[in-house]
Amino acid sequence: GAVVSQHPSRVICKSGTSVKIECRSLDFQATTMFWYRQFPKQSLMLMATSNEGSKATYEQGVEKDKFLINHASLTLSTLTVTSAHPEDSSFYICSANNGGLNNEQFFGPGTRLTVL
Amino acid sequence: SQQGEEDPQALSIQEGENATMNCSYKTSINNLQWYRQNSGRGLVHLILIRSNEREKHSGRLRVTLDTSKKSSSLLITASRAADTASYFCATDATGTASKLTFGTGTRLQVTL
């Protein structure tokens, strides 16, 4: 149980285009979803916390108009990278929290974004 | 930055040896979790230790937690080549609405 999927697994796009990444909890309802970014050989950095039906909470330094997050249901959150530039190229990972006692987060397999 | 520190940054051992990774953090926590990540892949949850626990075992994994020193260690015994991966600690700090803060990670290489 507790499977989280992401789609697409990798995407290559031209500079200036927008890219949408989906994060789904497959067998549980996620009260909260989180979006992380990971640059090569670095750790995960939290970008934003997404709660169903409300606006996302962004971490300091993350542009909310650049990284649009929509959490329309308890099983789906989307991250849209708007007007992508080469410096946005990164590995984007989502996680979902089922609200359990231990706050265990279940991670998706990640999306590799390359902006040309 | 509130990010935790892990050491060593990289560790290379031979199969059968034990691997120890350390994690230090900065704030009060509810729990600390260890994750594994194979290159270019998502994270796999290994073990969670609560702030009132001092040691936890899971198979070949042993985790310790010292809240007075704000540190944790992950021991992998009898390592295998398949254990080659990056290992991250992540803390669930009190009062942060379930957010996890990840350490810098340790890249473990297990050779035959």
Side-chain angles (χ1 to χ4, degrees):
Chain A
V3 177
V4 175
S5 70
Q6 274 183 249
H7 177 80
S9 58
R10 63 179 64 218
V11 56
I12 300 172
C13 68
K14 293 182 179 179
S15 186
T17 60
S18 294
V19 175
K20 179 186 283 189
I21 302 170
E22 292 186 349
C23 176
R24 292 180 186 272
S25 56
L26 298 185
D27 50 3
F28 67 100
Q29 292 186 328
T31 54
T32 307
M33 288 184 170
F34 302 87
W35 287 96
Y36 297 84
R37 181 166 52 183
Q38 185 180 33
F39 291 108
K41 297 188 178 180
Q42 293 189 22
S43 187
L44 279 74
M45 296 301 293
L46 180 65
M47 299 174 67
T49 301
S50 170
N51 292 296
E52 185 262 341
S54 63
K55 290 183 179 180
T57 302
Y58 290 82
E59 295 299 299
Q60 194 171 14
V62 179
E63 300 174 56
K64 62 179 182 180
D65 295 328
K66 171 80 172 172
F67 299 99
L68 300 178
I69 291 172
N70 186 330
H71 194 155
S73 76
L74 284 172
T75 59
L76 173 64
S77 176
T78 61
L79 167 69
T80 301
V81 183
T82 62
S83 187
H85 291 282
E87 58 265 31
D88 298 323
S89 298
S90 188
F91 194 53
Y92 292 87
I93 306 176
C94 73
S95 69
N97 179 335
N98 65 358
L101 180 64
N102 291 325
N103 182 35
E104 186 173 345
Q105 290 187 25
F106 302 95
F107 284 80
T111 297
R112 173 76 58 195
L113 170 63
T114 303
V115 185
L116 302 176
Chain B
S1 168
Q2 293 301 308
Q3 191 173 41
E5 296 288 327
E6 288 185 58
D7 78 272
Q9 289 187 348
L11 179 61
S12 183
I13 59 174
Q14 290 191 319
E15 207 172 42
E17 294 180 335
N18 296 340
T20 300
M21 292 159 255
N22 303 296
C23 165
S24 62
Y25 57 92
K26 299 179 181 178
T27 63
S28 296
I29 61 172
N30 295 316
N31 62 60
L32 184 146
Q33 304 178 43
W34 284 91
Y35 290 86
R36 165 202 169 110
Q37 183 182 36
N38 287 71
S39 181
R41 308 292 290 274
L43 272 71
V44 174
H45 184 264
L46 295 177
I47 198 165
L48 178 151
I49 185 165
R50 296 191 188 91
S51 61
N52 61 353
E53 298 177 311
R54 292 296 167 259
E55 188 171 312
K56 206 159 183 182
H57 297 254
S58 177
R60 293 184 295 114
L61 306 180
R62 172 176 169 257
V63 167
T64 63
L65 179 64
D66 186 335
T67 52
S68 67
K69 296 181 180 178
K70 290 187 169 58
S71 67
S72 174
S73 68
L74 170 67
L75 168 67
I76 303 174
T77 59
S79 64
R80 305 167 182 167
D83 293 329
T84 295
S86 290
Y87 292 81
F88 296 94
C89 66
T91 52
D92 173 8
T94 54
T96 59
S98 305
K99 293 193 300 187
L100 290 181
T101 300
F102 280 82
T104 50
T106 295
R107 289 190 300 280
L108 173 65
Q109 176 77 42
V110 182
T111 56
L112 296 172

